[in-house]
Amino acid sequence: MNSSTTASTPVPREGASRNLASISPFFIVKDLQASIDYYIERMGFQLDFQGPDDGRPFYGQVSRDGIAIFLKKISPDVLPCPNHTRHEWARWDAYIYTVDPDALFRELKQRGVPFVKELSFIDAGLWGFEVTDGDGYVLAFFQLRDK
């Protein structure tokens, strides 16, 4: 970058290959095992790993369908801080593009997952729903769809 280029100047991508494949949110949790259990039992995720292996794990990763969420317990005085606790209209902690939100909605409803917003259009062309996890984080599952 030279002095005539700013950080906000887009880099031309024509002909460039895609290099980024995914992103994983990193949620601070109150109780690691309870959070892992919630994602497995309620949300249908699997446990990828937790550590360290010294019998006192404080971090882990759960995943499903190619997306992953990192979970970490810091200390008793460092609690989860979902976005909605800081500002009510900025409630999403993770946005997950979903191929079939209708089927996922039915599955999660059967599993007893609490919904912030049930299956609907949240905005023009954005079809899906929002759930909360055991620590209060809001996950939005949506796809682009015509009304």
Side-chain angles (χ1 to χ4, degrees):
M1 182 181 294
N2 62 40
S3 62
S4 64
T5 306
T6 66
S8 62
T9 304
V11 176
R13 298 290 297 163
E14 189 174 316
S17 64
R18 295 179 66 166
N19 196 24
L20 304 178
S22 68
I23 186 171
S24 301
F26 204 128
F27 294 159
I28 293 173
V29 299
K30 186 175 182 179
D31 178 323
L32 179 64
Q33 193 57 54
S35 296
I36 288 171
D37 291 346
Y38 186 91
Y39 276 94
I40 291 171
E41 295 166 13
R42 291 284 187 97
M43 306 274 292
F45 282 63
Q46 68 181 27
L47 176 63
D48 298 328
F49 65 84
Q50 66 181 21
D53 293 330
D54 63 2
R56 295 174 299 185
F58 60 87
Y59 65 89
Q61 176 184 298
V62 293
S63 67
R64 176 181 174 158
D65 301 333
I67 64 121
I69 299 173
F70 288 95
L71 305 168
K72 187 172 188 178
K73 177 176 175 37
I74 306 293
S75 67
D77 62 326
V78 179
L79 298 174
C81 190
N83 286 340
H84 72 87
T85 64
R86 291 178 275 177
H87 203 292
E88 65 187 43
W89 59 260
R91 66 184 174 270
W92 295 353
D93 296 289
Y95 171 92
I96 302 155
Y97 185 82
T98 308
V99 175
D100 188 353
D102 300 67
L104 185 59
F105 174 79
R106 288 189 300 272
E107 176 195 336
L108 296 183
K109 190 166 190 135
Q110 242 181 353
R111 290 175 172 266
V113 173
F115 290 86
V116 173
K117 184 165 181 61
E118 295 214 0
L119 190 63
S120 62
F121 280 101
I122 189 155
D123 206 350
L126 198 56
W127 176 255
F129 59 92
E130 302 168 15
V131 301
T132 57
D133 75 359
D135 289 291
Y137 291 106
V138 176
L139 288 76
F141 295 90
F142 288 98
Q143 76 171 187
L144 300 175
R145 183 186 289 182
D146 293 332
K147 285 193 175 192

